[in-house]
Amino acid sequence: MTKSKFLSFLLFLFISPIISKGQSTANNKLISPRIRVIMDNDFGGDPDGLFALTHLVLSPSVEVRGIIGSHLNANDGFDKSKTQADNAVKEATKLLTVLKLKDRFPVTAGSNTAMINDSTPVKSKAVDLIIKEASRTDTSLPLYILCGAGLTEIASAVLTEPKIADKVTLVWIGGPEYSDLALPPPNYSSPEYNLNIDINAARAVFNHSQLKLWQIPRDGYRQAILPYSELQLKIKPQGEAGRYLTGVLETLMGRIQQYHLNLGETYILGDSPLVLLTALQSSFEADPSSSEYVLKPCPLINAKGGYDYNAYGRNIRVYRRLDINLMFNDFFAKLELNK
């Protein structure tokens, strides 16, 4: 090899990573937001919300218009404080800092308490955020509220400003199984976990609103099973974000062991379908085309958190089968691209 060819070879090795990175950036320009989203989640509780938030903010087809930290049930073991929503904001902000996205999105606390009944809204900056975004007339991008916790903020927003009900689609992780579609798991909790965070808010959304609703009940979100082996091989090696998420989940697994509970070798990332059904919709005739749902008349939620049949309820989507492979493979890929 001549000296000039050798120098050319070294130059090629030097600039190849730059060219590759540049091509990656150029490819991202081929994808632009086609929907707006606000994520509402109890980030101070189950860490599945942090995984979903990571996936969401790394998805270029969505325009994240706000992130809401919401409260848990007052007696929740994750956080029994009186500042659950504020603590959720802190956890979301920590994650965004790790992702080097701090201050990129508005992060707002919802109410620290549930609604006192199904007709009296709570007041919070998060409620104001939803109303303001839903009331915009300067964009044609559809707005989705992605809720992986209780329904306090979206219920309060619609009660405060009923005109926004037909301007948003609510995608909610929560609610028990429908008896004609699935059986509950062994030793199931009743009411279902997310519904029990604020039963009055669920009653406001189901019983009294006309919100367009896509529901992923317990038998749906329990499909989002991540094996511990993939946490180690597909998430942990992916830079600071992968290590952070792995650390959060492993810390929880260690805490649970202290109570002599055996989780086996999987963990349910039950909030991740929020990203699957929005950011990963099909290209043409956009819709979550690889996941399956049925249309059902929206039931009434009774005072105990169960369903009562309502023949006159508006049609809602109830997701039965989720494309978990698409969801997790996309998440793994985006983590690797972002590291």
Side-chain angles (χ1 to χ4, degrees):
M1 181 182 289
T2 65
K3 182 177 180 180
S4 61
K5 288 183 177 180
F6 180 71
L7 291 174
S8 297
F9 178 69
L10 288 178
L11 181 61
F12 173 77
L13 291 178
F14 175 76
I15 67 173
S16 288
I18 299 175
I19 293 174
S20 176
K21 186 173 181 179
Q23 288 173 341
S24 176
T25 302
N27 288 337
N28 284 340
K29 292 180 180 178
L30 298 176
I31 304 174
S32 59
R34 59 178 180 174
I35 64 173
R36 294 172 291 148
V37 298
I38 294 174
M39 176 168 272
D40 180 351
N41 213 300
D42 51 356
F43 300 109
D46 191 325
D48 62 344
L50 296 175
F51 283 77
L53 179 59
T54 302
H55 196 176
L56 186 72
V57 298
L58 296 181
S59 298
S61 66
V62 301
E63 181 180 334
V64 180
R65 299 299 302 170
I67 298 166
I68 296 171
S70 58
H71 68 89
L72 300 156
N73 185 282
N75 299 315
D76 197 289
F78 280 109
D79 182 359
K80 293 187 178 183
S81 75
K82 302 296 184 182
T83 55
Q84 294 173 340
D86 301 304
N87 295 341
V89 166
K90 292 177 183 178
E91 295 304 317
T93 302
K94 286 181 189 176
L95 175 65
L96 293 173
T97 301
V98 169
L99 292 168
K100 298 178 175 57
L101 294 172
K102 188 174 182 290
D103 301 324
R104 183 75 64 87
F105 316 103
V107 184
T108 308
S111 170
N112 282 303
T113 60
M115 291 171 52
I116 59 172
N117 55 46
D118 61 5
S119 60
T120 304
V122 300
K123 295 181 180 181
S124 71
K125 291 182 179 179
V127 171
D128 297 339
L129 169 67
I130 294 172
I131 293 173
K132 181 179 179 180
E133 189 62 34
S135 301
R136 286 177 59 188
T137 58
D138 62 334
T139 178
S140 60
L141 296 181
L143 176 62
Y144 290 76
I145 308 297
L146 312 183
C147 189
L151 293 169
T152 307
E153 273 62 54
I154 181 60
S156 296
V158 173
L159 285 169
T160 302
E161 183 49 81
K163 292 180 181 179
I164 70 169
D166 62 352
K167 301 181 185 300
V168 305
T169 298
L170 170 62
V171 187
W172 182 46
I173 304 288
E177 298 76 9
Y178 287 84
S179 60
D180 59 330
L181 299 178
L183 294 173
N187 304 313
Y188 65 94
S189 60
S190 183
E192 182 273 333
Y193 184 88
N194 280 351
L195 192 152
N196 193 45
I197 290 174
D198 193 340
I199 293 177
N200 285 323
R203 286 167 61 86
V205 167
F206 278 71
N207 302 7
H208 306 308
S209 83
Q210 291 301 312
L211 275 166
K212 184 177 180 181
L213 174 60
W214 297 0
Q215 182 187 8
I216 305 95
R218 181 166 50 201
D219 57 297
Y221 68 71
R222 280 171 53 83
Q223 297 170 32
I225 300 177
L226 179 79
Y228 185 68
S229 57
E230 286 196 328
L231 180 72
Q232 293 294 306
L233 290 178
K234 299 291 185 65
I235 296 179
K236 190 173 185 178
Q238 306 309 331
E240 187 178 357
R243 292 190 296 272
Y244 183 81
L245 290 171
T246 301
V248 169
L249 188 49
E250 288 184 333
T251 297
L252 174 62
M253 293 169 68
R255 285 174 55 196
I256 289 176
Q257 283 186 340
Q258 297 176 14
Y259 297 96
H260 306 291
L261 296 175
N262 189 343
L263 295 180
E265 56 182 280
T266 66
Y267 197 83
I268 296 173
L269 295 182
D271 288 341
S272 291
L274 296 171
V275 186
L276 170 68
L277 300 182
T278 52
L280 300 180
Q281 292 184 12
S282 55
S283 49
F284 296 101
E285 301 167 331
D287 202 50
S289 59
S290 62
S291 296
E292 300 175 8
Y293 67 87
V294 296
L295 289 177
K296 293 185 71 70
C298 185
L300 299 173
I301 303 292
N302 60 42
K304 294 182 179 180
Y307 299 133
D308 288 337
Y309 179 70
N310 178 18
Y312 301 101
R314 68 196 184 280
N315 277 341
I316 64 171
R317 290 189 185 189
V318 177
Y319 275 87
R320 298 194 61 194
R321 183 63 54 188
L322 301 171
D323 190 345
I324 299 302
N325 284 332
L326 170 63
M327 182 181 78
F328 278 139
N329 286 336
D330 181 70
F331 180 50
F332 300 151
K334 282 172 177 167
L335 278 177
E336 185 171 358
L337 289 168
N338 186 67
K339 72 176 181 180

